[in-house]
Amino acid sequence: AQSVAQPEDQVNVAEGNPLTVKCTYSVSGNPYLFWYVQYPNRGLQFLLKYITGDNLVKGSYGFEAEFNKSQTSFHLKKPSALVSDSALYFCAVRAWSGTYKYIFGTGTRLKVLA
Amino acid sequence: EAQVTQNPRYLITVTGKKLTVTCSQNMNHEYMSWYRQDPGLGLRQIYYSMNVEVTDKGDVPEGYKVSRKEKRNFPLILESPSPNQTSLYFCASSLASVHNEQFFGPGTRLTVL
């Protein structure tokens, strides 16, 4: 069965410190991996994606993510957190399963403390 | 402005009263999808559509119907809502290719009493 796991319900980090939000996946075939962010009372917004090529992908708002095939992980990172980064983050994978379903993780709430 | 719109944004209804949540996109996207968001469960896909007249079940389709008669519209129908369908619903769209990101609507908060 295909799945996405975000092992941390919440991550707290001090402003200015680096942050990591973890994501692991299990799919058959080549995965297409995405990160989305949800601010309060808003829909999800796309941050970045991994399709192929360089394992380190860069996205919006200074975020980046590292694809690790051997560990089946796609962790979201940012070198220096901002209070405004506080939000709910979702990892998602899209993979061939007859047709292209999307599978989302359960979300990780990031809290950046001033 | 490129966007996905949903209506209504908030809805309180009673068990068994049929309702429709509309979704429309102006980006000429082939792929459209409905999700429900519940605390601790993340987003779960209800139905999706690869193109006009092509729909398929997601992970939690029970109690829902969809149709895709036009490319821009993808309504979600609850024929006989039940309290366990109380949730936050999102519509999303994307280009058809497998590596395209989705654009999400603002959400519809549904309460079924």
Side-chain angles (χ1 to χ4, degrees), chain A residues 9 32 34 36 38 41-46 49-51 88 90 92 94-107, chain B residues 9-10 31 35 37 40-43 45 48 50 56-59 88 90 94-102 104-107:
Chain A
D9 290 336
Y32 301 97
F34 304 81
Y36 292 85
Q38 184 180 31
N41 301 315
R42 303 284 297 274
L44 279 72
Q45 298 176 34
F46 168 73
K49 64 183 176 183
Y50 172 82
I51 303 302
L88 187 57
F90 288 98
R94 199 179 189 195
W96 176 255
S97 59
T99 50
Y100 293 109
K101 293 170 65 173
Y102 271 94
I103 302 167
F104 280 78
T106 52
Chain B
R9 294 288 312 280
Y10 302 90
Y31 187 95
Y35 298 88
Q37 182 179 9
L41 297 176
L43 268 75
Q45 195 168 32
Y48 59 96
M50 294 294 288
D56 210 343
K57 296 178 180 179
D59 290 325
L88 180 58
F90 289 102
S94 72
L95 292 170
S97 184
V98 67
H99 56 262
N100 287 112
E101 63 272 19
Q102 294 181 96
F104 282 80

Side-chain angles (χ1 to χ4, degrees), chain A residues 15-43:
Chain A
E15 187 175 30
N17 283 4
L19 69 87
T20 298
V21 182
K22 295 179 181 177
C23 172
T24 59
Y25 65 91
S26 174
V27 298
S28 51
N30 292 325
Y32 301 97
L33 294 153
F34 304 81
W35 276 102
Y36 292 85
V37 60
Q38 184 180 31
Y39 297 102
N41 301 315
R42 303 284 297 274

Side-chain angles (χ1 to χ4, degrees), chain B residues 7-22:
Chain B
N7 282 293
R9 294 288 312 280
Y10 302 90
L11 180 60
I12 300 174
T13 189
V14 296
T15 298
K17 186 176 181 182
K18 180 179 179 180
L19 65 92
T20 299
V21 184
T22 64

